[in-house]
Amino acid sequence: VTSTVSASTSLISLAPLLQIWYPSCKKVVPRELVEKMTALGLAAWYLDDGCLKHNGGRGHPYATIATCGFTIDDVQWLRGWLRRKWGIEASVLTRQGIYPELSVTVRGTQRLCALIGQFVPPSMRYKLVDDAPPYASHTWNLGQPTVFLRALRVLRGEVSF
C-alpha cells in the first residue's frame, strides 16, 4: 500500500490574523483592515476568489468574486467599499440561495481590470478583459521567499521529518 503524507508547521506569527478574520470562530470582514487594502491587495483577492464570466459568448464579460462564509451584511459592506474606494460597481447575488457573491458590472469589471492589470502575471491573465494593462513583473518583487514546509521522507510506511 502506497500513501503520501505531508505536514506543515503552524506559524504562531499568523495567530493575530486568525483572531482578526475569525473572532469567535466565525468568519468576518475586518473592515479596518480592508480599508487599508491597496490595488495589489485587490489584485490578490480577485486572483484568489474571483473569476471572469463570459455569459456564454453573449454580451461583455463581467467579474464575480466569491464571498462564501461572509454574512450578507459583510458582503453588502464590501460592495459599498468597492464603489467608494475604487469606483467599482457591483451587486450582491446568492448562489443556490445560500452563498453570497459579488457580481461586478461590465463597466466595473473594466475598472477593476484597469486597476489590477499590472499585477496579474501571464498565467492568470485569463481572469482579465482583453484591454487590461500589461503585467509589470516588478510589482510582485516581494523579496526572497521563506520556506515553511519541512521535507518529508517516507520509508516503509514510517514518516520522518
Side-chain angles (χ1 to χ4, degrees):
V1 174
T2 303
S3 63
T4 303
V5 178
S6 64
S8 66
T9 56
S10 297
L11 294 176
I12 195 69
S13 61
L14 295 179
L17 290 176
L18 182 66
Q19 291 302 315
I20 291 169
W21 287 91
Y22 292 88
S24 305
C25 299
K26 177 71 176 152
K27 190 175 182 182
V28 300
V29 173
R31 296 174 185 190
E32 187 175 308
L33 186 63
V34 171
E35 287 286 358
K36 296 176 185 177
M37 190 182 296
T38 64
L40 176 59
L42 183 62
W45 179 34
Y46 176 68
L47 293 177
D48 188 36
D49 294 334
C51 71
L52 188 67
K53 295 192 175 180
H54 296 277
N55 205 17
R58 299 180 310 271
H60 297 282
Y62 65 96
T64 61
I65 303 174
T67 51
C68 303
F70 292 124
T71 66
I72 293 292
D73 285 344
D74 276 346
V75 179
Q76 290 286 5
W77 183 87
L78 285 168
R79 182 186 65 80
W81 172 79
L82 283 170
R83 183 182 62 244
R84 183 178 69 256
K85 181 163 183 171
W86 303 104
I88 297 170
E89 293 290 334
S91 57
V92 177
L93 304 177
T94 55
R95 284 185 290 132
Q96 300 168 353
I98 302 170
Y99 307 107
E101 76 176 11
L102 291 164
S103 179
V104 183
T105 64
V106 170
R107 182 172 283 163
T109 299
Q110 292 286 336
R111 173 84 176 130
L112 172 66
C113 293
L115 286 165
I116 69 170
Q118 67 174 326
F119 305 112
V120 180
S123 62
M124 302 291 285
R125 301 295 292 183
Y126 68 92
K127 291 192 172 210
L128 300 177
V129 295
D130 292 336
D131 61 349
Y135 174 57
S137 61
H138 70 277
T139 59
W140 282 101
N141 185 3
L142 305 176
Q144 291 297 317
T146 303
V147 177
F148 295 111
L149 293 178
R150 294 183 287 175
L152 297 178
R153 205 169 76 208
V154 180
L155 299 172
R156 295 187 188 130
E158 295 178 18
V159 178
S160 62
F161 297 94

